[in-house]
Amino acid sequence: MRVLEKKSLNSEIAGYIGKLLRDNFGKGPTSVYISIKKPFVSIYLKDFLAPIERLLVGQKNYQKVEETRDLMFEELIPEMKATLRVSADLHIKNFYYDWSLENKTGVLLGVMDNSKRSEDHFYPEFPNKEMLEEEMIKVSEIAQKAPDHLNSMYLNNRTLVMERKGILTELEKELIREGNKEQLLLSKRKLEKRLLDIKVFESILGVNIKDVFVDWDFYLDISYLIFIVKPK
């Protein structure tokens, strides 16, 4: 893969990600949608569920699938970073990911080094942004605590990212220090998604929300929540 114009670049990255997942899971996604807007690279996967995962999901054993995928992606992410750096000139510092197993969808969110800011890093305001963030703060306060910093931005008309910093409680930090990172992550994902009143967020945004994804970096104390929306 060489450095290409944006449309071709997106297609080549989608092809690479699809093949990587197919080689490692036995079945790749039927569709991979790429959006690049610095400092983010969003990778939305559709119809991504391996045969054994389909069996586990049918048995409502979601946690086993998530645990296995977390282990797999810990191994795959270094390769993804290296390939995107060399082939696409995308310097991904961290990857975040989450799944909607019932919908057979998923999101990988790459965050590039943003120490060198450019015009690409600035996002236009959108209607009801302040109201949206106030509602998110309410959810965060129930699930853990209000974030020290919150910002929301559209990468495109279908991908809304909410960035939260300084969100962990002292109890959560202690659990992480004691080695309970994976269980805490799975519990927090489940809790936050349950607390989100999708109808309220749809009303604020004036869109239909198709998928919600959330992930954390506990050591950086940062979280990304991604809405995949269908504009009205």
Side-chain angles (χ1 to χ4, degrees):
M1 200 197 312
R2 60 192 182 282
V3 178
L4 301 166
E5 294 300 322
K6 185 174 181 181
K7 187 174 181 180
S8 298
L9 177 63
N10 288 5
S11 297
E12 293 229 8
I13 293 173
Y16 161 69
I17 295 295
K19 184 178 185 305
L20 179 71
L21 298 181
R22 186 166 59 253
D23 290 347
N24 285 276
F25 285 86
K27 179 190 181 303
T30 57
S31 302
V32 181
Y33 299 96
I34 308 294
S35 178
I36 302 173
K37 185 165 176 56
K38 293 181 179 179
F40 300 110
V41 178
S42 170
I43 304 170
Y44 181 48
L45 312 172
K46 296 187 73 173
D47 193 21
F48 176 46
L49 203 62
I52 186 63
E53 293 178 331
R54 192 182 301 272
L55 176 63
L56 291 168
V57 168
Q59 297 171 346
K60 308 295 184 184
N61 198 345
Y62 304 113
Q63 182 167 322
K64 181 61 68 176
V65 177
E66 291 196 40
E67 288 174 346
T68 304
R69 285 193 177 186
D70 284 348
L71 289 172
M72 288 288 288
F73 273 87
E74 283 182 12
E75 297 296 320
L76 294 177
I77 281 175
E79 178 185 340
M80 291 166 58
K81 286 181 178 178
T83 299
L84 293 177
R85 181 177 64 252
V86 172
S87 304
D89 197 30
L90 296 174
H91 296 255
I92 307 294
K93 189 174 183 181
N94 293 300
F95 260 111
Y96 300 82
Y97 51 87
D98 188 23
W99 322 105
S100 176
L101 296 175
E102 290 182 317
N103 293 339
K104 297 185 289 186
T105 55
V107 153
L108 309 174
L109 184 71
V111 182
M112 292 178 250
D113 183 358
N114 61 359
S115 58
K116 296 179 180 179
R117 300 189 68 85
S118 70
E119 291 182 3
D120 290 340
H121 288 64
F122 295 96
Y123 294 80
E125 297 293 309
F126 57 87
N128 296 332
K129 177 182 176 183
E130 185 175 341
M131 191 184 304
L132 172 75
E133 293 178 352
E134 287 174 356
E135 190 64 30
M136 192 67 242
I137 288 171
K138 292 178 185 177
V139 173
S140 296
E141 285 177 329
I142 298 171
Q144 53 258 306
K145 75 179 187 70
D148 296 335
H149 169 84
L150 172 62
N151 190 26
S152 49
M153 57 220 98
Y154 272 101
L155 305 193
N156 53 50
N157 67 343
R158 295 179 182 274
T159 309
L160 173 65
V161 173
M162 302 190 77
E163 178 185 71
R164 296 175 294 173
K165 296 180 180 179
I167 198 171
L168 294 175
T169 65
E170 291 303 316
L171 175 59
E172 290 171 329
K173 291 177 183 178
E174 188 61 32
L175 288 170
I176 293 162
R177 283 191 288 267
E178 291 178 358
N180 298 298
K181 173 178 173 289
E182 180 66 18
Q183 188 55 54
L184 180 62
L185 174 63
L186 296 175
S187 298
K188 283 173 70 66
R189 278 177 179 163
K190 188 184 297 183
L191 174 62
E192 280 217 338
K193 289 179 182 180
R194 188 171 71 245
L195 291 174
L196 286 169
D197 189 333
I198 297 301
K199 295 296 182 185
V200 171
F201 283 88
E202 286 181 330
S203 176
I204 292 171
L205 292 169
V207 298
N208 296 319
I209 296 174
K210 297 170 62 179
D211 269 319
V212 180
F213 304 98
V214 63
D215 196 15
W216 287 262
D217 185 318
F218 289 147
Y219 301 105
L220 295 177
D221 197 357
I222 188 169
S223 171
Y224 288 96
L225 189 141
I226 300 102
F227 288 119
I228 303 298
V229 308
K230 181 179 180 181
K232 290 183 178 178

